[in-house]
Amino acid sequence: MKNTNDIKGIIFDLDGVLLSTDHFHYLAWKSLADKLEIPFDETVNEKLRGVSRMASFEIILSNKPELKLTEAEKEAYAAEKNELYRTYLQTMTPADVSDDVRATLKALRERGYLLAVGSSSKNAGFILERTEMREYFDAVSDGNNITNSKPDPEVFLKAAEYIGLAPEVCAVVEDAEAGLEGAVAGKMLPVAIGSAHGSPLAQISLDTFADLAVHFAG
Ligand code: BG6
Ligand code: MG
């Protein structure tokens, strides 16, 4: 257990925490799975939360073991999924981020916390730009600057390094079990929201994003 008073930085997962891209991921993976005749539904999609693109594809492929693909074919199919996913991302606007999220991030900054994004996504920069969210963060660590994806703590350790703080004085806000595992492995304070609410890995579970302002008083 950590004392919330010791926390100086807060690292946010992007998808499922600051905004929602779940359905776009679902639609893009579904299109590829249908083409490859692999069973895929919302339950399988749920297992992809926080997991990197290639690891997500491996989870999907595990539902059709007789389908053997080379690494080059896997890369090409994943790129095809990403292209379709990005056409959905093009439709995002600042209205896709709630006023609550914006007001809470602003309040936390005013209280002196350093804020960072810690996302597995290689599209994080594009999403932050589309939704005009970059200005709230002191640093962004994402799928482009890591070699090991969540549950490895690398993406969060890099985020802490970018904001110049020791991992021990950082909290991580996550909607995925894989992300909470990474936060624990990185010795950060694990905060759960959304799908991860109530996880035994979390020290705090948030009912709403705005509740962050209750737990982190500055
Ligand atoms: C995470 C999502 O944020 O990013 C995962 O929760 C996704 O579902 C991962 O697989 C990688 O995303 P991208 O944009 O690099 O394909
Ligand atoms: Mg997430």
Side-chain angles (χ1 to χ4, degrees):
M1 281 286 266
K2 282 183 186 286
N3 188 334
T4 51
N5 294 327
D6 296 335
I7 297 301
K8 295 184 166 54
I10 308 177
I11 302 169
F12 296 85
D13 173 50
L14 178 64
D15 299 323
V17 171
L18 297 170
L19 44 80
S20 179
T21 51
D22 296 17
H23 194 58
F24 295 155
H25 276 297
Y26 171 76
L27 291 174
W29 282 128
K30 177 73 179 152
S31 164
L32 179 62
D34 285 352
K35 176 170 150 175
L36 297 174
E37 297 181 338
I38 306 172
F40 182 75
D41 57 17
E42 294 278 8
T43 319
V44 182
N45 196 51
E46 200 52 37
K47 293 185 191 156
L48 314 181
R49 206 173 274 282
V51 176
S52 74
R53 190 182 310 160
M54 293 312 292
S56 296
F57 193 27
E58 290 295 348
I59 292 171
I60 293 168
L61 286 170
S62 70
N63 288 314
K64 191 174 178 182
E66 66 276 25
L67 179 64
K68 305 278 184 235
L69 298 177
T70 64
E71 285 310 308
E73 285 168 334
K74 287 180 191 173
E75 292 281 349
Y77 282 129
E80 191 180 308
K81 177 266 173 178
N82 190 52
E83 237 171 78
L84 180 55
Y85 176 59
R86 282 180 70 101
T87 63
Y88 294 126
L89 292 182
Q90 297 275 8
T91 68
M92 292 190 91
T93 70
D96 286 302
V97 177
S98 74
D99 291 342
D100 253 11
V101 166
R102 288 181 194 275
T104 306
L105 292 174
K106 193 164 168 277
L108 293 170
R109 278 180 79 92
E110 283 165 4
R111 290 173 191 182
Y113 292 102
L114 291 176
L115 307 185
V117 169
S119 166
S120 302
S121 174
K122 293 186 171 173
N123 293 300
F126 184 57
I127 297 168
L128 291 170
E129 187 190 310
R130 291 279 334 158
T131 54
E132 295 177 10
M133 287 288 284
R134 183 62 184 83
E135 67 189 83
Y136 297 97
F137 300 99
D138 300 287
V140 175
S141 171
D142 64 25
N144 298 298
N145 61 252
I146 53 167
T147 42
N148 305 300
S149 192
K150 300 171 190 177
D152 191 284
E154 188 180 358
V155 75
F156 300 135
L157 295 176
K158 281 270 160 57
E161 185 189 316
Y162 294 162
I163 54 176
L165 292 175
E168 288 82 0
V169 297
C170 293
V172 167
V173 187
E174 260 293 349
D175 72 316
E177 287 296 317
L180 290 175
E181 278 179 50
V184 172
K187 301 193 165 45
M188 296 159 176
L189 191 158
V191 180
I193 193 166
S195 297
H197 186 280
S199 164
L201 292 176
Q203 182 176 327
I204 297 171
S205 276
L206 302 171
D207 290 329
T208 68
F209 193 90
D211 282 351
L212 271 173
V214 177
H215 292 281
F216 298 96

